[in-house]
Amino acid sequence: MSTNRHGRNLCTAVAAALLASLTATAQTIPTADQLFNWAEGSYSTVFPAGPTSQFIAPYTVRAYSTGNYLGVANGRVYVLGPVSGNQLLDLGPVTQFTCQILPMSTGCAGTASTDRSTCDLPNFQSDLLNAVNQRRAAGAQCGSSGSFAATTNLGWNTTMGAAALAHSDDMQQRNFFSHSGSNGSDPGDRLTLAGYNWQTYGENIAAGQSTVQSVVNGWMNSPGHCANIMNPNFREIAVACVKGSANNTYNTYWTMVLGTAR
């Protein structure tokens, strides 16, 4: 999937990204301030740090310079402002965000692992960059998408990585496989929410592959995915791989995001 249009449905993307690491078994309930601080650190373009919490019954709320409001009332999380189309949006129970905010809490075993977005594969980032950049350096025939000349290397972007992980988490936790998020978000929405100010972007997804080489080979053998990898207009990349569970159709869920910032 590739586009150079501005992202749509940003209000629904907020819900998808904030809920991307849902863990129903977690018992700890984060405080409103803990949730606000986490949101400011994770989604600073939407909720920039600075405001203090206020109580406006029944909400504990922070008002942001972006015109957005983030609030907690009766154990649920709400957002209001431009990010939600100026409609009050219920994001669900506070407990759904426990493993993002307090990863060492009961029921969040393993969530704090720094390898959660790599399917525990060693040298994940360097292997992916090498595999992709070797293909770009060699040029490629992408079937019905055409022939691509050798082009420049891509660099890894950690902000884009947050968008890739959010989508892999979403697919794994809700057991689906699509470029469209469970709430209708598209890749541009997810990149915008993560804080990546994109000019153009592309997204490749895959499921079931167990190694970096196998997933890159699969993408290169698919005309549209191959064209994304070879696109000379892209400058940066990030990839996330999330392990499936016994309840999933696939044992791995991959998301590659490519793009160029403004």
Side-chain angles (χ1 to χ4, degrees):
M1 183 174 186
S2 180
T3 185
N4 61 3
R5 294 177 292 109
H6 283 290
R8 305 177 307 279
N9 304 322
L10 183 56
C11 62
T12 55
V14 173
L18 288 176
L19 292 173
S21 289
L22 167 64
T23 303
T25 58
Q27 301 299 315
T28 304
I29 302 177
T31 66
D33 283 341
Q34 286 174 326
L35 182 138
F36 298 152
N37 292 340
W38 166 77
E40 290 166 11
S42 300
Y43 307 105
S44 59
T45 60
V46 180
F47 308 116
T52 57
S53 299
Q54 305 175 56
F55 182 71
I56 306 173
Y59 301 95
T60 300
V61 63
R62 287 188 186 177
Y64 293 93
S65 58
T66 53
N68 296 309
Y69 296 81
L70 190 60
V72 174
N74 302 316
R76 300 187 70 83
V77 183
Y78 298 87
V79 65
L80 173 68
V83 74
S84 64
N86 294 310
Q87 300 295 313
L88 185 64
L89 182 64
D90 183 345
L91 299 182
V94 177
T95 52
Q96 291 184 337
F97 310 119
T98 296
C99 291
Q100 284 280 16
I101 301 167
L102 303 170
M104 298 307 293
S105 299
T106 301
C108 298
T111 305
S113 170
T114 57
D115 292 331
R116 190 173 66 81
S117 65
T118 70
C119 288
D120 294 325
L121 295 172
N123 307 312
F124 184 82
Q125 179 176 325
S126 60
D127 285 355
L128 269 160
L129 277 176
N130 288 337
V132 168
N133 285 332
Q134 284 173 12
R135 300 288 189 139
R136 286 172 65 89
Q141 172 56 244
C142 294
S144 59
S145 291
S147 180
F148 290 79
T151 188
T152 56
N153 284 350
L154 297 172
W156 194 274
N157 184 287
T158 55
T159 300
M160 296 173 73
L165 178 57
H167 192 53
S168 286
D169 273 337
D170 190 23
M171 290 192 292
Q172 185 272 321
Q173 290 162 6
R174 292 161 181 83
N175 197 31
F176 73 97
F177 184 71
S178 173
H179 287 288
S180 180
S182 61
N183 62 354
S185 64
D186 66 25
D189 296 329
R190 296 186 286 270
L191 282 168
T192 298
L193 184 61
Y196 186 75
N197 186 20
W198 53 269
Q199 174 182 329
T200 183
Y201 69 79
E203 182 183 79
N204 290 344
I205 57 175
Q209 293 83 355
S210 59
T211 67
V212 166
Q213 197 59 56
S214 64
V215 76
V216 173
N217 286 345
W219 282 326
M220 291 301 296
N221 288 329
S222 171
H225 297 94
C226 173
N228 273 343
I229 289 174
M230 297 303 301
N231 191 328
N233 295 319
F234 293 147
R235 295 289 179 267
E236 299 173 300
I237 188 177
V239 182
C241 178
V242 172
K243 288 183 177 181
S245 69
N247 297 321
N248 285 121
T249 302
Y250 301 102
N251 60 3
T252 56
Y253 291 82
W254 298 76
T255 303
M256 169 187 281
V257 186
L258 312 97
T260 299
R262 290 190 177 279

